[in-house]
Amino acid sequence: MSYHLIDLVQSLDTPRILVLGDLILDRYLWGNAERISQEAPVILLREEKQELRLGGAANVANMLRGLDAKVTMAGVVGDDRDGEDMIAALKAVGVDCSTILTDRTRPTTTKQRLIGHAQHRHPHQMLRVDRESREPLELIYATQLLDRIIGQISQHDAVLISDYAKGVCTPEVLKRVIEVARDAGKPVIVDPAPMDDYSRYAGATAMTPNRTETGKATERNIRNYTDAFAAGRQLVNQLGLDRIFVTLDKDGVAVVRADGTSESFPTRQREVYDITGAGDMVLATIGLGAAAGWDDADLARMANISGGLEVEQVGVVCLSRDELVRDLLQERSRDENKTYELEFVSRHVQARKQIGQKVVFTNGCFDVMHIGHVSYLKQAAALGDCLVVAINSDQSVRTLGKAPDRPIFPQEQRANMLAALECVDYVVVFNEKTPCKVLEEIRPNVLVKGGTYQINEIVGREIVQAYGGEVLALGETPGVSTTEILARLRGDGPMRFAA
């Protein structure tokens, strides 16, 4: 399944996504807690540095940019320095800020944190000061915001709503945005605020509440998948959703659909260092996939991957597509199908190269698998991070002038035997007499051959050497060859093999 997800990530274009929600500016002041003040019994913090980070819906937009989406931010800032810094930070990462409105009646939502350390020890948050208004937008500003949003919806592939209950996502604003987006055939994904009444999200395509938010909205205790399914069905029915993704932290994601079906998606256990930003990352990932037309099962699996990667980091970290691919490559199941068409393998190989992996390639008929094959394939795999094995199709084997009864095993069986080896990552079947076409497409870092070949006898060496690749001959296992084995099976000699 991870190969399928890798293919989805690699085939992503650059979808346009509109993010609506509460913009939050996180300011950090780092300092050394040197002593107690002489003026009052308080810690004296000597400033060392200041840091600005995007939070709330702005963080969702930032994470989408990290995933190479085109992003338009819709929301409200105050007529203040924090608002200017917010817009500057969003523009710096390439977010379109033309739909952000300045509301002179409220401040930009800002969280100021004082982080102190003493004697070079681990820093701790000492104090947080919030500057915000939780009042709903005044009608005049809500109308102006809608005027900016409505004309933008048709130009985007998805609409994400990130509600932090700071007053931007009023029932009137959400109702109109959801209606227009649904009429335009655009998916609307909502990360809800923790509240009792979710009616303001009615008609959305999907929601991504966490365990606590789901429990609060349904007055249920969400202990397991059964509880999540029951709560999910309640919300899907009440709100007219297509589906809901209930995120269950270490337990994964529960998906409930409008047709009554439900499905659980457990996640891999990870070291949790910081849960900050995990919900935003899940919304960004599901929004990106929904814009690309992924099905809900793939959305849930990718949400597990991205959310898991986020909690392994300290603080809010933007993930890239390459990081998602790297994690998926590590997650690949041993018994997963590994035989694919050349185009598919080529995309995956390029993905591996982009994250710095070394690709090794070998080829052959592999008609009667034996210890010599296994030994040299293990050697080949040890030369890099990924081993691609290209095998001659049945038709190709016959053109090589081998015995009339060759191949002994059809190409499907030969491919499956190779795929069963732990050291093999991909198997591709080719119809040509030589693997040159495959080599030109994949462009491996290393081309190897086992058996009695010398380097100047290895087919395709010119192709690999021309772009700076390496060509190696690995030798053979004494006393073992396909020709000898077949001769013995036909009665031409004793069935004895080297120890």
Side-chain angles (χ1 to χ4, degrees), residues 300-373:
R301 293 186 181 101
M302 285 306 305
N304 275 335
I305 296 296
S306 63
L309 284 171
E310 189 67 29
V311 301
E312 288 183 334
Q313 312 291 325
V314 177
V316 176
V317 176
C318 289
L319 301 175
S320 68
R321 295 184 187 183
D322 285 349
E323 288 173 291
L324 297 181
V325 169
R326 183 182 292 110
D327 195 75
L328 286 165
L329 288 170
Q330 293 175 351
E331 191 181 64
R332 179 179 59 81
S333 171
R334 293 183 179 182
D335 60 355
E336 187 174 14
N337 176 43
K338 301 175 185 177
T339 305
Y340 293 100
E341 296 296 325
L342 177 57
E343 180 184 0
F344 180 94
V345 175
S346 177
R347 284 202 301 273
H348 282 232
V349 165
Q350 298 313 312
R352 288 177 178 271
K353 289 180 183 177
Q354 287 174 14
I355 61 175
Q357 290 195 358
K358 189 176 183 180
V359 178
V360 182
F361 177 96
T362 192
N363 64 279
C365 299
F366 298 97
D367 190 12
V368 179
M369 286 283 290
H370 52 71
I371 188 61
H373 290 136

Side-chain angles (χ1 to χ4, degrees), residues 10 59 67 94 101 104 119 125 136 154-155 157 193 195-196 285 297 304 308 354 367 402 405 414 417 484 498:
Q10 288 301 306
N59 186 43
L67 294 170
L101 182 72
R104 293 176 174 80
Q119 299 177 347
Q125 182 170 310
S154 63
Q155 303 171 32
D157 301 301
M195 60 178 66
D196 299 328
T285 306
N304 275 335
Q354 287 174 14
D367 190 12
K402 292 181 179 289
D405 60 347
R414 290 184 283 126
M417 284 189 287
E484 292 175 356

Side-chain angles (χ1 to χ4, degrees), residues 270-289:
R270 298 176 184 265
E271 293 290 335
V272 178
Y273 292 98
D274 190 349
I275 63 171
T276 307
D280 293 340
M281 191 70 243
V282 166
L283 176 62
T285 306
I286 289 179
L288 183 75

